[in-house]
Amino acid sequence: MNPFRRIEELKPDTAPIVTSEELDTYVDTYEKSGFRGGINWYRNIDRNLREHPEIGVAKLTLPCLMITAEWDGALPPRMAAGMPALCSDLEMHNIERAGHWAQQEFPDAVNETIVDWLTRRFKKS
């Protein structure tokens, strides 16, 4: 049932989102340091919930930008549906045809969205 046990058999449906050189950089880095930092957030999730029960419940009054990705299977846009109730100053954008790694798949669209939002929200008077 675990597809990662036969990952070599899986054929990608889309073009690679990183070049061979970029992938080599990731592989070299993870061979030296492991993936501990990225995994530790998940390992610590129960403790974070106990120590910080207000996260995801407390209302936010600061300006917030949420960028979702249409094809993100891990964090689908529908998961952000409750954000307007928690964020009084929220702007939401969806990157169409993007998966979980939207910033690598569509860097121009993500950057343009962030820069536009920052420029409008925090421009100097």
Side-chain angles (χ1 to χ4, degrees):
M1 296 297 290
N2 183 345
F4 295 106
R5 291 188 181 190
R6 53 185 178 77
I7 197 160
E8 292 81 15
E9 298 172 24
L10 299 176
K11 301 296 178 214
D13 291 346
T14 60
I17 60 172
V18 295
T19 65
S20 295
E21 293 80 18
E22 290 169 328
L23 182 59
D24 288 344
T25 299
Y26 282 109
V27 170
D28 291 344
T29 300
Y30 291 140
E31 283 178 343
K32 292 175 190 164
S33 66
F35 191 56
R36 190 175 187 163
I39 294 297
N40 280 345
W41 188 88
Y42 296 98
R43 288 180 177 152
N44 201 48
I45 200 164
D46 292 331
R47 181 178 182 274
N48 285 342
L49 184 58
R50 281 193 313 274
E51 297 290 321
H52 306 283
E54 71 282 1
I55 294 177
V57 179
K59 295 192 182 224
L60 302 176
T61 58
L62 67 159
C64 299
L65 171 66
M66 177 61 177
I67 299 174
T68 59
E70 179 182 22
W71 295 346
D72 189 339
L75 298 169
R78 64 180 155 68
M79 287 184 73
M83 289 185 69
L86 293 173
C87 305
S88 63
D89 186 0
L90 173 66
E91 188 170 318
M92 297 177 75
H93 292 270
N94 184 56
I95 307 295
E96 294 180 4
R97 299 179 47 238
H100 189 66
W101 308 108
Q103 66 275 24
Q104 276 81 27
E105 296 172 76
F106 295 94
D108 292 341
V110 172
N111 288 335
E112 287 169 11
T113 301
I114 293 169
V115 169
D116 174 66
W117 183 78
L118 288 170
T119 301
R120 286 184 293 103
R121 295 309 312 263
F122 301 101
K123 63 182 173 191
K124 294 186 180 194
S125 302

